[in-house]
Amino acid sequence: MIQKPILILKFGTASITQKNGEPDETIIADIARQVAILHADYQIVMVSSGAVGAGKHFIKNYSGEIAERKAAAAIGNPLLLNIYSKYFSQYGIQIAQSLCERQHFGNREQFLQLKETYQELWENDIIPIANENDVVSNRELKFSDNDELATLIATGFGAETLMICTSVGGLLDKDKNIIRKIENIDNQILGLVDNSKSALGSGGMASKLTFTKLATRMGIRVIIFGMKEQDGILKAIKGDAGSEFTAQEVNLSSRNKWLASGSVTVGTLQIDAGAAKAIQKRSSLLAVGIRKVKGDFEMGEVVEIVDNHGEMLAVARTKVSSAELAANLKTINYEVANANDIVLI
């Protein structure tokens, strides 16, 4: 099989639904038309929200409580997939459903099984459509939204491009014009964010920029685009529409990309300036450089490493539990995480 670049396309609820939350078949038909054109050149994963909106009107007196949302998703998922299947079949393309949970990315073995499944689908020219498994997802281990799910798939699979559809068509400047090219997501860029979000969806532009920043740091080009423009997907991937965020150069193994982006972090280690310099020089993390320990974790679990100001520096797989660490914080040359298990962010 010829290896084609991997493209992840994410469509939020507001992008593919009508004002009442039900799927907009006109938009979905247009998505199928454009994705069918790209299908020849890319291995594609679509991440699509909209299941709750598709199913909620079947729930009597729906008020949005968790149990009602789960029930609505259970009804809406097959309905939404049937609509996608209806329009993709017009181009001879079969789709597949992929309901994901956070633990599928936190456990390396489960993640590799997911990756193998997608490879098998791609070898048979089938496009997987991923969504969170809302019916059974644990409240504490949910994805923050489907922007996160799309980013985890993109980084874990080594995607070339991640495209995120939004109702506004890109990142807007202060005059409400779309910024075409962004080299770096700094405080000036973050300051442009309107913190309001769609009443239908769970994530706004702040969420998109958070995960865009992670994806670009993992060497992935990210494009935030819209479907209101004619051929919005096709134009955006060529750089003729939407906002393009430049991929940064990165030299990480696939394992370390997974560790940096896909692992479920269960604690936080705040370190001093000396330890920060040491890990940035690719040294191991020693107990004497740790100022605070937050969370309960076991040996081999993944934690965040932050500096004096709480800024995230890295993630690391620990060699000790939080209890063992607490008892040895003053111990000289006590290794908490080996350099090979630390990934700088």
Side-chain angles (χ1 to χ4, degrees):
M1 177 183 174
I2 299 173
Q3 283 296 111
K4 295 185 285 189
I6 296 171
L7 169 65
I8 313 299
L9 281 156
K10 184 265 178 178
F11 298 94
T13 301
S15 302
I16 62 163
T17 56
Q18 304 171 55
K19 289 182 179 179
N20 63 2
E22 293 184 23
D24 187 329
E25 293 201 26
T26 302
I27 293 293
I28 292 174
D30 198 32
I31 289 170
R33 177 185 65 82
Q34 295 183 62
V35 172
I37 294 170
L38 296 174
H39 185 230
D41 298 317
Y42 292 92
Q43 293 177 331
I44 295 172
V45 179
M46 287 176 53
V47 177
S48 177
S49 307
V52 173
K56 69 180 183 181
H57 66 278
F58 291 97
I59 305 298
K60 296 175 183 177
N61 302 315
Y62 181 85
S63 64
E65 293 183 3
I66 291 175
E68 292 176 335
R69 287 183 61 82
K70 288 177 178 287
I75 299 165
N77 266 316
L79 293 175
L80 185 62
L81 263 290
N82 281 337
I83 295 170
Y84 274 117
S85 181
K86 171 183 173 182
Y87 291 104
F88 273 100
S89 65
Q90 295 177 6
Y91 304 96
I93 298 172
Q94 179 65 45
I95 60 161
Q97 184 175 52
S98 173
L99 294 178
C100 300
E101 298 168 42
R102 194 67 176 78
Q103 66 193 35
H104 296 153
F105 295 87
N107 180 295
R108 178 72 173 160
E109 185 175 334
Q110 286 189 340
F111 169 73
L112 291 175
Q113 289 175 5
L114 178 67
K115 195 172 183 179
E116 286 177 5
T117 301
Y118 278 24
Q119 289 285 359
E120 185 67 28
L121 291 170
W122 288 332
E123 286 179 15
N124 288 278
D125 290 326
I126 297 167
I127 297 177
I129 299 183
N131 193 8
E132 177 160 21
N133 192 356
D134 290 307
V135 179
V136 298
S137 281
N138 181 300
R139 203 178 312 177
E140 283 73 34
L141 288 179
K142 280 180 66 63
F143 300 103
S144 59
D145 52 46
N146 270 347
D147 295 323
E148 180 181 18
L149 173 57
T151 304
L152 294 182
I153 293 173
T155 53
F157 285 32
E160 176 189 86
T161 303
L162 166 62
M163 298 183 69
I164 300 175
C165 186
T166 179
S167 56
V168 295
L171 179 64
L172 305 181
D173 63 19
K174 291 179 180 179
D175 297 319
K176 304 301 180 184
N177 297 313
I178 293 175
I179 304 172
R180 290 285 181 220
K181 190 96 169 179
I182 298 96
E183 298 286 345
N184 184 40
I185 300 175
D186 53 19
N187 289 335
Q188 183 178 357
I189 292 297
L190 294 172
L192 296 171
V193 173
D194 178 355
N195 287 320
S196 64
K197 64 182 181 182
S198 161
L200 296 171
S202 59
M205 187 58 74
S207 166
K208 289 170 177 55
L209 288 184
T210 295
F211 293 111
T212 293
K213 189 172 184 178
L214 173 59
T216 55
R217 285 180 171 181
M218 294 294 113
I220 299 167
R221 177 178 67 139
V222 180
I223 304 167
I224 297 178
F225 72 103
M227 288 296 295
K228 291 178 182 177
E229 184 168 354
Q230 178 71 24
D231 289 336
I233 301 172
L234 300 176
K235 286 181 179 176
I237 202 167
K238 293 177 181 176
D240 296 332
S243 298
E244 180 177 334
F245 297 79
T246 305
Q248 296 184 18
E249 289 189 20
V250 65
N251 186 24
L252 291 176
S253 66
S254 58
R255 174 186 174 275
N256 280 352
K257 284 184 179 180
W258 165 80
L259 187 64
S261 62
S263 302
V264 179
T265 55
V266 294
T268 303
L269 304 179
Q270 187 174 53
I271 62 176
D272 61 26
K277 287 181 180 179
I279 66 169
Q280 285 167 344
K281 292 179 179 178
R282 308 303 305 134
S283 296
S284 298
L285 176 62
L286 304 180
V288 290
I290 296 173
R291 299 182 63 195
K292 290 181 183 177
V293 180
K294 296 179 183 178
D296 296 318
F297 50 87
E298 299 299 323
M299 180 181 70
E301 292 194 300
V302 179
V303 297
E304 293 181 0
I305 300 175
V306 301
D307 64 14
N308 284 326
H309 307 290
E311 291 290 322
M312 188 171 171
L313 298 174
V315 294
R317 186 174 296 282
T318 61
K319 294 181 68 176
V320 298
S321 68
S322 54
E324 291 171 316
L325 176 55
N328 288 278
L329 279 176
K330 303 299 181 183
T331 304
I332 303 298
N333 293 328
Y334 188 82
E335 190 174 88
V336 176
N338 187 271
N340 293 329
D341 288 324
I342 299 173
V343 181
L344 298 173
I345 300 298

